[in-house]
Amino acid sequence: MKLTMLGTGNALVSECYNTCFVLSENDEYFLVDGGGGNGILHQLKHVGMDWKDMRTIFVTHKHLDHIMGAVWMIRMICQHMSQGRYEGEATIYAHDEVIGLLRGMAENLLQKKQTKFLDERLHLVAVEDGETKTILGRATTFFDIHSTKAKQFGFCMDLGEGRKLTCCGDEPYNDSEKSYVENSTWLLHEAFCLYSQADIFSPYEKHHSTVKDACELAESMGAANLVLYHTEDRNLGRRKELYTEEGKNYYHGNLYVPEDLEVLAL
């Protein structure tokens, strides 16, 4: 299985794309979030992926930097279905509020000849807290991260042989997530900025973590591998170096600070 980071930035970045990624295995793909617009199509193209292969999509929450790219995916899928240039079906998972928003935007922004494929071939599926679906042939459990802002879900994927990948969304860890996060083989967690630059970026006011916070969490939870994303972009040129340097003081597992379009083998 591979993890391809299409975007690694927070909502207001301009030097990289908003956080979204693809898990892939055996020519199957799982797209998580879409970033803030049709840049999702550019990112997929430039990493060598065909947007038509994104047959399973998950949208964590309704913030613009996550949901708008998914709207563009809906448009592309439905438009090509209406033109007879898209074979088969596709599924978008999200909690009920996001599914309602996606359906409403599609029905209000797209043509009826396109939206007629909603539920017929493009399935908008609301998932509940603790509900498990099979994705990439793996048991994948969605969970409420209990956000203090917009309702948001993460997920935990069973990688087999006691291994698991846990995505905490784009907010700090909540104790309600412990059963999913603890002993993760791969933990995906946001890190808005360096702890040493918290006075510049004010992450706590935005309900986000610093590198130090995320690394201390991963250390305490026994995560073997930690991937940091959803960052600021003012340190982009040295982000990997700076974040790794700070993080290694608090976390002794394998720390990854990927760039946009970087691929990690899981």
Side-chain angles (χ1 to χ4, degrees):
M1 184 178 291
K2 294 181 179 178
L3 167 65
T4 301
M5 293 301 308
L6 299 178
T8 56
N10 65 44
L12 299 181
V13 294
S14 60
E15 302 304 314
C16 58
Y17 194 57
N18 309 123
T19 293
C20 53
F21 59 89
V22 176
L23 291 170
S24 58
E25 186 176 36
N26 299 326
D27 295 322
E28 293 186 23
Y29 302 85
F30 179 39
L31 171 63
V32 179
D33 287 330
N38 69 350
I40 185 67
L41 305 174
H42 174 278
Q43 298 301 89
L44 287 168
K45 176 181 178 180
H46 284 267
V47 82
M49 292 180 175
D50 188 339
W51 68 265
K52 289 182 179 179
D53 289 333
M54 304 299 120
R55 302 280 176 158
T56 307
I57 300 170
F58 171 55
V59 182
T60 58
H61 63 299
K62 69 179 182 180
H63 287 167
L64 293 177
D65 55 316
H66 297 264
I67 198 171
M68 296 310 296
V71 175
W72 274 93
M73 290 298 294
I74 291 174
R75 175 185 174 172
M76 294 295 288
I77 292 169
C78 290
Q79 179 173 309
H80 282 71
M81 283 180 172
S82 71
Q83 296 170 345
R85 296 192 290 152
Y86 188 102
E87 298 180 359
E89 303 180 354
T91 301
I92 298 178
Y93 294 109
H95 62 68
D96 55 353
E97 292 180 15
V98 168
I99 290 297
L101 282 169
L102 289 173
R103 185 182 302 279
M105 283 189 283
E107 291 176 345
N108 281 283
L109 297 174
L110 303 183
Q111 301 175 41
K112 288 185 178 180
K113 66 180 181 180
Q114 297 167 347
T115 57
K116 73 176 185 178
F117 293 101
L118 295 179
D119 302 317
E120 180 182 317
R121 289 173 60 194
L122 175 54
H123 307 285
L124 303 182
V125 179
V127 290
E128 301 290 337
D129 181 24
E131 184 172 357
T132 300
K133 299 287 185 180
T134 300
I135 296 173
L136 302 181
R138 315 277 187 170
T140 303
T141 303
F142 299 97
F143 57 86
D144 191 335
I145 72 167
H146 296 281
S147 168
T148 58
K149 298 188 289 188
K151 182 179 178 181
Q152 182 173 171
F153 275 19
F155 69 89
C156 183
M157 178 178 285
D158 184 350
L159 300 178
E161 300 179 345
R163 303 168 68 244
K164 64 181 179 180
L165 177 150
T166 306
C167 168
C168 294
D170 76 348
E171 291 193 21
Y173 165 82
N174 183 292
D175 285 339
S176 65
E177 304 167 54
K178 183 176 181 179
S179 63
Y180 303 108
V181 172
E182 194 169 34
N183 298 319
S184 290
T185 311
W186 289 88
L187 178 62
L188 281 57
H189 198 281
E190 55 86 31
F192 197 85
C193 65
L194 296 165
Y195 180 73
S196 62
Q197 294 184 330
D199 59 329
I200 298 173
F201 294 104
S202 304
Y204 305 126
E205 294 178 12
K206 304 176 180 69
H207 199 62
H208 284 303
S209 305
T210 65
V211 171
K212 174 179 180 287
D213 300 325
C215 286
E216 287 181 332
L217 166 70
E219 185 79 7
S220 68
M221 289 289 108
N225 301 276
L226 173 63
V227 180
L228 300 181
Y229 55 38
H230 205 267
T231 79
E232 47 78 26
D233 64 349
R234 279 190 257 171
N235 289 300
L236 201 58
R238 297 183 61 208
R239 179 178 62 181
K240 187 185 294 286
E241 172 192 351
L242 293 172
Y243 282 35
T244 301
E245 183 179 355
E246 180 170 284
K248 69 183 181 182
N249 295 314
Y250 308 98
Y251 173 65
H252 298 92
N254 300 311
L255 178 60
Y256 299 88
V257 186
E259 308 290 355
D260 285 14
L261 308 185
E262 188 169 336
V263 181
L264 301 177
L266 304 184

